Amino acid sequence: MIRPSDPHPCAKLAISVATAEARPVIGGQPQPAEDLVRTLLQTAADGGVSRVAVRPGGEAERQLGQAWPFPSPFSVSVRTLPISEGLDRVEARARRSLERMGLPRGDVLMVQAADDLAGSEGRALWDRCQALKARGLFKRVGLKLTMDDGPALMARRFLPDVVEIPCGLLDQRAERAGVLAELAELGCEVRVSGVFARGLLFGPREAMGFEAPDSQTRAAVSRVRLRLAEARLDPMQAALAYALGLEHVSVVLIGARSAAELRAVMAAAGQPAPQIDWGAFSLTEAPTARRVSSAA
């Protein structure tokens, strides 16, 4: 079931902050990455976005630590390292993430994949995360899942405070199968990712650093683009309207690489939700794309 967007839809947005690699030239000088992140965060705060998600690696954590507005309005989610790194390193890196960002505590510690809990050390990993919560380093513990993980079953087994799961205009399985409702009934805060289908609706994949989708996916996406055009809907507006209107969803996770990008997202999120049959835009299979290695 889809509901009308909340009166202040940007309040449901969470931004996933990646390392700011692009450094536009302003006044003849390259802009420092920290300044880009600072502008991004201020734009988010001014627009009512109060959640930030980050994963270990790169310079994003350090840049965030140098760029928080004061006082900071943000609650921060941190993703764990893979269990293959070892339990001690996973725990140490979660602590280190907070240190790098200059935070005494985080909001959510997200286990990065269900597979990490499936092995012999899965329960020990979960117990380590719960211990960090008990010590006050994180308020909540969450779990990043996919539809292939049996999300409702995993939620019943581990009882996470938060579940993140892909659900968007092109891949509506979590909503149509009732998974979002099941997770909410279990008391989980439901977060959806994959809202923009990794850019499939917006332009050539190669230009974004992804491999091109196969011909079947290209044809399906082209049909969706045509339907959107016929309905006079901007793809970004449609993708956000669908996700923000999901009845059982509390947080919509989006990527933002710059303040300008975030302003475009917030403007689209603020548009009135169209009255339309969203199911007509769903693809049978979830669109996927693999990022091209920088060495390729």
Side-chain angles (χ1 to χ4, degrees):
M1 178 186 294
I2 306 294
R3 66 183 178 190
S5 293
D6 291 344
H8 303 289
C10 289
K12 289 181 66 173
L13 294 177
I15 54 172
S16 177
V17 178
T19 301
E21 297 174 350
R23 302 188 180 190
V25 174
I26 298 178
Q29 296 294 327
Q31 189 177 15
E34 291 79 6
D35 289 349
L36 294 176
V37 175
R38 185 174 294 108
T39 304
L40 172 64
L41 290 175
Q42 191 61 59
T43 300
D46 292 344
V49 179
S50 61
R51 298 178 181 90
V52 170
V54 66
R55 57 185 177 186
E59 290 295 307
E61 292 172 338
R62 182 186 62 79
Q63 291 167 0
L64 284 167
Q66 296 180 359
W68 298 121
F70 184 82
S72 174
F74 297 106
S75 59
V76 180
S77 301
V78 173
R79 194 184 301 183
T80 63
L81 289 175
I83 188 63
S84 58
E85 299 275 346
L87 287 171
D88 290 341
R89 176 151 170 71
V90 170
E91 179 179 343
R93 192 62 179 82
R95 293 173 179 272
R96 179 61 175 155
S97 290
L98 296 179
E99 293 172 3
R100 283 170 62 86
M101 290 186 287
L103 301 175
R105 65 188 59 83
D107 180 28
V108 185
L109 179 59
M110 295 289 297
V111 175
Q112 61 98 32
D115 286 349
D116 283 0
L117 300 177
S120 59
E121 293 187 306
R123 178 55 67 175
L125 170 62
W126 191 250
D127 290 345
R128 294 270 188 124
C129 293
Q130 292 292 342
L132 291 174
K133 173 183 172 181
R135 294 182 189 122
L137 292 178
F138 293 92
K139 294 179 182 178
R140 298 180 290 173
V141 177
L143 182 52
K144 190 173 184 294
L145 299 171
T146 70
M147 285 295 289
D148 294 334
D149 295 324
L153 182 62
M154 290 292 293
R156 289 191 189 96
R157 180 181 176 189
F158 290 97
L159 300 177
D161 301 304
V162 179
V163 171
E164 178 188 324
I165 189 166
C167 187
L169 188 64
L170 299 185
D171 180 13
Q172 302 177 18
R173 291 175 298 165
E175 190 271 328
R176 298 175 76 177
V179 170
L180 302 180
E182 286 185 84
L183 293 172
E185 288 170 4
L186 290 168
C188 304
E189 177 185 273
V190 181
R191 299 185 172 192
V192 294
S193 58
V195 173
F196 297 140
R198 306 188 77 178
L200 276 179
L201 283 174
F202 307 126
R205 308 300 299 142
E206 300 88 341
M208 299 178 67
F210 286 87
E211 290 183 348
D214 57 42
S215 58
Q216 184 177 1
T217 301
R218 283 200 303 272
V221 172
S222 294
R223 288 193 294 271
V224 170
R225 286 174 176 162
L226 179 60
R227 293 191 193 105
L228 289 172
E230 291 171 345
R232 298 184 178 182
L233 283 176
D234 173 76
M236 180 180 289
Q237 179 189 351
L240 286 165
Y242 171 78
L244 290 168
L246 289 168
E247 182 177 7
H248 301 286
V249 170
S250 299
V251 177
V252 174
L253 185 65
I254 55 103
R257 294 174 295 181
S258 68
E261 208 169 79
L262 180 58
R263 281 192 290 269
V265 169
M266 293 191 298
Q271 296 299 310
Q275 300 300 311
I276 197 167
D277 176 16
W278 293 114
F281 302 100
S282 179
L283 304 183
T284 301
E285 298 293 334
T288 58
R290 179 170 60 86
R291 185 172 289 278
V292 178
S293 167
S294 59

